[in-house]
Amino acid sequence: MAMKDYSDEFRADAVALSESTAGATCKDIAADLGINRATLRGWVLRDRDRRGIVAADARRGGTTPPRAGQPTASADPDERIRQLEARVAELEASERKLATGRDILRRAAKYFAGGDEMVSRFPFVHGHRDAYEVKRLCQVLDVNRSSYCKWLGGGAARAVRRREDQVLAERIRRIHAGSGGTYGSPRVTAELREAGKRVNHKRVARVMRTYSIAGVRLRRRVRTTVFDPAAGAVPDLFQRDFTATEPGRTYMGDITYLPLVGGEFLYLATVLDCFSRKVVGWSIADHMRTDLVADALRMAAQVRGGLEGAVFHSDHGAQYGSRAFADLCSGLGVTRSMGAVGSSADNAACESFHASLKRETLQGARDFGDPATCRGTVFAWLTRYNTRRRHSANGHLSPNEYERRHHTAKLTLAA
C-alpha cells in the first residue's frame, strides 16, 4: 500500500533532494521516491513560494529590465558614438580588472596548495606587492587592508615567536620519541610542565601540528546498542529467521551511526519488512533517544496503513526497551521481539542492511561531510533502495517490485 499521509520530514527531504540533484528531472526524482510526479512538483512549488522564490515558469512571460550602466540610445549620432566609446572604455577597464584577479588567483592556488588559513594570506600579499597593487591583492584574497598593515608591523615579534617555537618543537620531539611515538599534546604538555616548562596545551598542540608531530589515535568506536537492565523481558520470536511469507507481518529494526566531518555523528533508525526487505520506516537525528526509533516506527505505520497484529524485532538497546517505546507498540497493536543480549547475529539482517548503506553511499570515504549532505545522501539512497535497487533476497528485484508481483500473483490465484 502506498503512503498517503507523508510526514513533514519526508516532504522536506524530498524537496531538498529535488532541488539539489543537478540534471535530474522531477519525473526521475519522483520515480526514485516512489511517489507521483505531480505530488513532488506541488511540494517543490509550495516550498519555493514559502521562501519567496518565483518559479522559472512564471518568469518566462516577463520582460527583461535594462542592465545597470547600459547607455540609453540617443538620436544624435555623435552622442551615440561618445556613449559607445565610454562603454567600451568601461568594459576594457573591467576586463583588465578581471584579468588581474585571475592572475592573482592562479598564483594563489599554487601558494595555498598546502592549505589556506587567513593568516597565511598576508605573506602572499607581502610577497606579491611589487607585481600588483596591495589594494587589489587584498580585494581578491578577501582580507582587510588594515589587518595586513597591522600584520606587517608585527614582523619582529613573529620572528621571535618562530624561534621559540623551533626550540619548543625540539623538546617535543625528544619527549615524543621517548614515548615510542605514542604521546599526543596532552601527555607532552604534562611532561613539559613536570620538567619545569610553563606552557599552554593549546600552544603545544599548535606546534605539534606545525611540525607534523602526532601521537597514536585509535579510531573512535561508536556504540549504538546500550542495554537497559531495567527493561522488562521480551522473548525472541524470530530465532534468527528473518523471512516472511507475506508483507506487513514481521518487521525488524536497528540503529546505526552516520559519521560526519570533524568526528561528529548523525544516527539512523530503520524499520524493514522481513518479506521484501523494504524500508517502510526511518528517521535521522543527532541523538539516540527513544524518539528516534519511535519516529521510524510511526512512519512504518503510515506507510503500511497500520501495524495491527505485526511483530517487530530488535536488539536490546535501551531505546527499544524503554517504557515509551513499549507503550507505542501497544498502541499500534505491535508485538515486540528481541534477540539475545550482545549477539549481533540475532539481528543480522538489519546489520547487513546498514553495512550495504554505508558501503554504497560512502564508497570508501571516511565521512558524509556536513549534516545536510549526510541527510540528503542517505535519504536518496533509502528511497532508491525501495524503488530501484535490486536485492539478492528478492531474486534481484527491488522491494517495491517484489511486493507488487506477490500481490499480482495472489490476485491471479484468487481469480
Side-chain angles (χ1 to χ4, degrees):
M1 179 183 295
M3 177 166 57
K4 301 298 183 183
D5 185 12
Y6 297 93
S7 67
D8 292 339
E9 181 181 11
F10 184 93
R11 296 186 187 197
D13 286 340
V15 170
L17 178 63
S18 178
E19 296 283 56
S20 63
T21 306
T25 65
C26 191
K27 179 180 179 181
D28 293 335
I29 298 297
D32 282 347
L33 299 179
I35 62 177
N36 187 278
R37 177 175 57 180
T39 300
L40 176 60
R41 180 65 175 166
W43 294 349
V44 172
L45 291 177
R46 283 195 294 273
D47 181 72
R48 289 181 179 178
D49 183 63
R50 179 183 60 80
R51 294 184 287 125
I53 299 176
V54 180
D57 294 338
R59 292 201 302 263
R60 292 196 181 106
T63 58
T64 303
R67 291 179 295 176
Q70 185 174 358
T72 305
S74 174
D76 184 0
D78 293 336
E79 179 62 24
R80 177 62 174 165
I81 291 173
R82 284 193 293 270
Q83 289 179 347
L84 292 175
E85 288 175 343
R87 182 59 177 165
V88 169
E90 179 185 345
L91 292 174
E92 288 177 345
S94 177
E95 175 63 24
R96 287 193 298 271
K97 185 176 181 180
L98 289 174
T100 301
R102 286 195 299 268
D103 194 20
I104 292 173
L105 289 174
R106 286 193 187 100
R107 299 192 181 192
K110 297 179 181 179
Y111 187 88
F112 297 125
D116 175 20
E117 296 182 7
M118 182 62 70
V119 70
S120 69
R121 301 184 191 183
F122 298 140
F124 179 85
V125 173
H126 190 65
H128 294 79
R129 68 190 186 284
D130 294 333
Y132 308 99
E133 294 181 351
V134 170
K135 179 180 179 181
R136 183 59 180 152
L137 285 164
C138 291
Q139 287 176 343
V140 173
L141 297 179
D142 194 26
V143 298
N144 193 297
R145 189 161 48 157
S146 62
S147 299
Y148 163 72
C149 294
K150 183 177 180 181
W151 172 87
L152 199 60
R158 284 196 304 277
V160 172
R161 286 197 299 271
R162 196 157 43 242
R163 289 193 295 270
E164 292 176 348
D165 284 350
Q166 290 174 350
V167 174
L168 178 60
E170 290 303 317
R171 296 188 63 175
I172 291 175
R173 282 197 181 96
R174 290 194 293 270
I175 295 172
H176 186 258
S179 70
T182 61
Y183 276 8
S185 59
R187 288 188 172 88
V188 170
T189 303
E191 287 280 339
L192 289 170
R193 289 176 177 173
E194 187 174 330
K197 175 69 175 177
R198 297 183 60 183
V199 62
N200 186 281
H201 70 280
K202 294 182 180 179
R203 184 187 176 195
V204 173
R206 176 179 57 81
V207 171
M208 291 182 69
R209 284 195 305 270
T210 302
Y211 290 89
S212 301
I213 307 171
V216 173
R217 179 179 297 175
L218 298 178
R219 186 171 181 179
R220 181 179 173 185
R221 181 180 177 85
V222 181
R223 186 183 182 191
T224 55
T225 301
V226 181
F227 173 64
D228 184 2
V234 177
D236 183 358
L237 303 179
F238 273 40
Q239 297 297 320
R240 301 187 182 180
D241 181 4
F242 305 106
T243 61
T245 57
E246 291 286 337
R249 291 185 177 179
T250 56
Y251 299 93
M252 50 189 170
D254 200 4
I255 302 173
T256 191
Y257 72 96
L258 305 172
L260 305 177
V261 65
E264 300 296 325
F265 300 93
L266 289 180
Y267 299 92
L268 168 69
T270 53
V271 178
L272 276 67
D273 192 309
C274 294
F275 173 74
S276 61
R277 305 298 169 88
K278 178 175 180 176
V279 190
V280 293
W282 72 80
S283 182
I284 302 174
D286 59 355
H287 62 80
M288 288 198 301
R289 296 190 293 272
T290 302
D291 289 344
L292 177 67
V293 297
D295 288 343
L297 192 64
R298 291 190 186 99
M299 179 181 176
Q302 288 181 330
V303 170
R304 289 307 196 192
L307 299 176
E308 185 71 30
V311 177
F312 177 78
H313 183 80
S314 69
D315 58 25
H316 274 269
Q319 302 86 350
Y320 295 110
S322 66
R323 171 51 56 190
F325 188 77
D327 291 342
L328 174 63
C329 289
S330 297
L332 295 174
V334 174
T335 302
R336 291 190 298 159
S337 169
M338 286 186 176
V341 177
S343 174
S344 60
D346 285 352
N347 207 17
C350 273
E351 298 278 355
S352 177
F353 169 80
H354 289 153
S356 297
L357 183 154
K358 292 180 183 178
R359 182 175 61 253
E360 296 180 17
T361 53
L362 288 174
Q363 297 184 3
R366 296 179 63 86
D367 58 72
F368 288 92
D370 59 78
T373 301
C374 175
R375 175 180 285 274
T377 300
V378 173
F379 175 75
W381 189 90
L382 289 172
T383 52
R384 186 177 179 84
Y385 169 90
N386 282 340
T387 58
R388 297 192 179 187
R389 183 185 181 277
R390 298 181 183 274
H391 201 297
S392 58
N394 298 339
H396 293 287
L397 296 175
S398 70
N400 281 1
E401 180 63 15
Y402 189 69
E403 290 191 3
R404 187 193 69 79
R405 293 193 183 188
H406 174 77
H407 181 67
T408 301
K410 285 186 63 177
L411 292 178
T412 302
L413 290 175

